[in-house]
Amino acid sequence: MKKLFAVLSVLFVLGTANMFATGIGAQFGGNVNEGSFGTGAALTFKLDKVPCVFAADLAFGQNYFAAGLTADWWMANPKIEGTWGYYYGIGVGGSVAIANNAYAGFSVGPRAVLGTNVFLLDRHFELYLQAAYQPLLSIANDNVAFVWVNFPLALGFRFWF
């Protein structure tokens, strides 16, 4: 049942976002932080008339739920050669997680983003590789901590309309 709910949620978001998005796709990646590496996938989109590029992820497991959202404002996206370029910017990201009815956590922090991208198919398809530095304020089970070493990495694609 949880898998069906997850699939229906993704289809709903894709169908709705397609009506008002200028770009939509998926990204896969990981997070390097203080000696650990986690992996995941996210839906990425750029809305018309909103200057940020977003990524949203949901993770479900047995007795586990997590959701995250990032919003990045590209300050520049200059060309290197032809349709290949790079971009940099700033943003913010946050997440919530609940596990085994014993863990509940929230984290939020600013982001500095650097990436490279290439546009194909007459600029309707984008491939990109991105890295960010995102220190976090983490609040979990009455613990408050600052995570200074946190580097989200992503490889993704977007279709542009």
Side-chain angles (χ1 to χ4, degrees), residues 4 26 31 40 44-45 62 82 92 127 149 157:
L4 176 62
N31 211 29
T44 177
F45 55 96
Q62 188 168 346
V92 65
L127 293 171
V149 178
F157 65 89

Side-chain angles (χ1 to χ4, degrees), residues 81-107:
E81 176 83 27
T83 61
W84 176 38
Y86 70 97
Y87 57 91
Y88 57 90
I90 57 174
V92 65
S95 65
V96 295
I98 300 169
N100 295 326
N101 297 325
Y103 174 86
F106 169 79
S107 65

Side-chain angles (χ1 to χ4, degrees), residues 21 24 28 48 62 80 160:
I24 190 164
F28 310 93
D48 190 28
Q62 188 168 346
I80 295 172
W160 291 90

Side-chain angles (χ1 to χ4, degrees), residues 46-60:
K46 167 75 172 76
L47 303 175
D48 190 28
K49 298 182 182 163
V50 177
C52 294
V53 177
F54 297 92
D57 65 274
L58 291 175
F60 295 96

Side-chain angles (χ1 to χ4, degrees), residues 53-140:
V53 177
F54 297 92
D57 65 274
L58 291 175
F60 295 96
Q62 188 168 346
N63 298 319
Y64 177 79
F65 169 80
L69 180 67
T70 61
D72 296 329
W73 175 54
W74 292 4
M75 297 165 65
N77 187 13
K79 290 182 182 180
I80 295 172
E81 176 83 27
T83 61
W84 176 38
Y86 70 97
Y87 57 91
Y88 57 90
I90 57 174
V92 65
S95 65
V96 295
I98 300 169
N100 295 326
N101 297 325
Y103 174 86
F106 169 79
S107 65
V108 65
R111 293 167 51 88
V113 179
L114 176 65
T116 185
N117 57 356
V118 63
F119 288 91
L120 306 168
L121 303 174
D122 199 25
R123 299 193 62 84
H124 291 289
F125 183 69
E126 174 193 14
L127 293 171
Y128 65 91
L129 178 63
Q130 173 180 291
Y133 173 60
Q134 184 180 357
L136 295 170
L137 169 63
S138 177
I139 302 171

